[in-house]
Amino acid sequence: MTEDVLSFSEFVSFNLAILVYFLGVRLNRKIPFLQRYNIPEPVSGGLLVALLSLFVFVALGTEISFSLHSRDYLLYCFFTAIGLDARFSDLAKGGKPLLILLCLTVGYMVLQNTVGTSIAAVLGLPAGFGLLGGTISLVGGHGTAIAWGPKLVNDYGVTGAVEIGAATATLGLVAASLLGGPVGNYLIERRGAKPEPGSPEEVHIIGIETDREADTTVTHTGLMRSILVLNIAIALGVGLQEALDTGAGLDLPVFVCCLFCGIVLSNTVPVVFRKMTWPARSQSLAVISDLALGIFLTMSLMSLQLWTLAGLAGPMLLILVTQIVVSALFIIAVLYPLMGKDYNAAVLGAGFAGFSLGATPTAIANMTAVTKRYGPATQAFLILPLVSAFFVDLANAVIILLFLGG
């Protein structure tokens, strides 16, 4: 059967993503399971569209393709907003939990690669194949899988590494989206991690309490101010990424640099210009952040080409199923107790499921779904993006090389 491609333009794709998001909202309201286990709305709607695309591909041989250029900008907006809302004083308060989470994350990455390479060894496959079922595709995601694929093919004899890695990352993203909510719900309802009563009505921005003096309503001037500051920080972040790449050979993701620039701006500009109205932790910035995350994740999931998973070999599926079980057990038995056995630890568990198998935006969406139901978790939203965005990519490169034997 000849394959045809049905492509949607950027304008159509962006607006379809909004419709799909509302579809997810409706599904969550109508299906108790989705609401009970805190499945994010973009996941509900996005996966349904991905399944419909799969049906069209199988039945008609037509590949549905969405334009995703605006998705990158939405990702930059979201992480920059996290940076703008971060304060050094908050980081100091959360210093010990941040260090513990970082150590747990590095330890888990070693465990994830140990699981992947051990199963590969038992099945008589090269270590590189096991790493594709480890941090290369899961913690690393599509970008890392595509970047390491050619090296695994040329130097380590892993045939089809790029395709297997991309398909594994896709399935990992789906698993991450579906695992976080139930894990968080289990820890809260069954392990006694319910939040303390009081202040669920407080305004919070992606889990961070709003300043009393900040804007408490959304205004057109507040939105314009937030957009301007976001774009300035993004421009600085893009410039920083290019400078680090060309000057130091350090190829950090652009969103990491945007996050860093947002943190720097919010901790310097308001101090120097005390009379300036700064958008950090305002309702206007919160609206932009929520919009960016919702549409970004919706576009990511509805554009999944699930038929590419057919290329996964049986051994890789075995590795993936094992990794999902290991992730859930690690969160419940290790991360949750060591992070304090409290509500923030439970929300962190939902987020950890998101980026240990998928990506940081998935982690934030998982945590947001939990906090919408139970209340804000300031510490969780503060430390997880710093660990998953700043430290993971650097640690991952070192760990992968160690498992490949240098």
Side-chain angles (χ1 to χ4, degrees):
M1 183 183 296
T2 303
E3 290 185 12
D4 297 320
V5 178
L6 176 60
S7 299
F8 291 97
S9 67
E10 188 67 31
F11 177 81
V12 174
S13 298
F14 183 87
N15 285 281
L16 278 176
I18 297 175
L19 291 174
V20 173
Y21 179 89
F22 284 122
L23 173 63
V25 172
R26 186 168 182 83
L27 287 173
N28 280 18
R29 288 176 180 172
K30 296 293 185 180
I31 303 176
F33 171 85
L34 299 176
Q35 189 175 42
R36 179 181 179 185
Y37 289 102
N38 306 306
I39 304 301
E41 292 89 347
V43 175
S44 304
L47 285 182
L48 178 59
V49 172
L51 289 171
L52 291 174
S53 297
L54 174 62
F55 173 78
V56 171
F57 180 81
V58 173
L60 305 177
T62 300
E63 176 182 322
I64 296 178
S65 175
F66 299 98
S67 179
L68 303 175
H69 295 297
S70 61
R71 188 181 63 169
D72 290 339
Y73 175 69
L74 293 170
L75 180 66
Y76 302 159
C77 284
F78 171 69
F79 277 103
T80 304
I82 291 179
L84 291 173
D85 282 331
R87 287 181 175 170
F88 290 145
S89 58
D90 293 332
L91 294 178
K93 293 177 184 177
K96 184 177 179 180
L98 177 65
L99 181 61
I100 294 173
L101 182 62
L102 175 59
C103 293
L104 287 173
T105 301
V106 173
Y108 175 79
M109 292 166 69
V110 173
L111 173 63
Q112 190 174 74
N113 280 343
T114 301
V115 171
T117 54
S118 297
I119 295 177
V122 170
L123 298 175
L125 297 168
F129 185 89
L131 292 176
L132 284 173
T135 62
I136 288 181
S137 300
L138 299 180
V139 168
H142 288 84
T144 304
I146 293 171
W148 278 89
K151 185 175 182 63
L152 292 176
V153 172
N154 298 326
D155 299 344
Y156 298 95
V158 183
T159 305
V162 175
E163 293 77 12
I164 293 174
T168 304
T170 298
L171 191 58
L173 186 65
V174 174
S177 302
L178 297 176
L179 181 63
V183 166
N185 185 76
Y186 170 78
L187 293 174
I188 293 170
E189 298 291 344
R190 301 292 183 87
R191 300 294 291 271
K194 289 187 177 180
E196 296 181 2
S199 75
E201 73 284 356
E202 286 184 9
V203 177
H204 62 284
I205 302 166
I206 53 173
I208 299 176
E209 293 180 9
T210 308
D211 286 347
R212 298 295 184 186
E213 68 272 14
D215 296 340
T216 56
T217 59
V218 179
T219 64
H220 71 283
T221 54
L223 288 171
M224 287 191 291
R225 184 184 297 113
S226 298
I227 291 172
L228 177 61
V229 172
L230 277 172
N231 285 335
I232 291 173
I234 290 171
L236 292 173
V238 172
L240 176 62
Q241 193 274 340
E242 293 176 352
L244 290 173
D245 188 19
T246 57
L250 184 60
D251 187 18
L252 288 176
V254 176
F255 73 83
V256 174
C257 296
C258 293
L259 172 67
F260 175 76
C261 289
I263 293 175
V264 171
L265 287 178
S266 264
N267 286 275
T268 54
V269 175
V271 175
V272 176
F273 303 98
R274 295 183 177 276
K275 294 185 178 180
M276 176 183 291
T277 302
W278 192 249
R281 304 191 179 190
S282 67
Q283 278 289 77
S284 296
L285 182 63
V287 167
I288 297 172
S289 176
D290 290 344
L291 182 149
L293 175 62
I295 299 180
F296 168 84
L297 193 57
T298 302
M299 294 182 78
S300 297
L301 290 169
M302 76 183 200
S303 62
L304 291 178
Q305 296 180 328
L306 296 178
W307 54 88
T308 61
L309 300 180
L312 283 182
M316 183 57 75
L317 289 176
L318 174 62
I319 293 175
L320 277 171
V321 171
T322 305
Q323 295 288 20
I324 293 170
V325 174
V326 168
S327 176
L329 292 176
F330 181 85
I331 292 167
I332 295 170
V334 180
L335 185 140
Y336 175 66
L338 292 181
M339 290 306 301
K341 292 185 179 180
D342 58 9
Y343 176 62
N344 268 288
V347 176
L348 272 175
F352 194 88
F355 86 85
S356 66
L357 297 172
T360 303
T362 310
I364 301 298
N366 287 347
M367 294 196 299
T368 300
V370 173
T371 56
K372 279 182 178 179
R373 180 177 178 183
Y374 293 102
T378 304
Q379 186 185 80
F381 278 87
L382 184 65
I383 65 176
L384 185 136
L386 291 173
V387 171
S388 62
F390 272 111
F391 301 110
V392 163
D393 284 328
L394 296 175
N396 199 13
V398 175
I399 292 171
I400 291 169
L401 288 174
L402 288 175
F403 272 84
L404 288 174

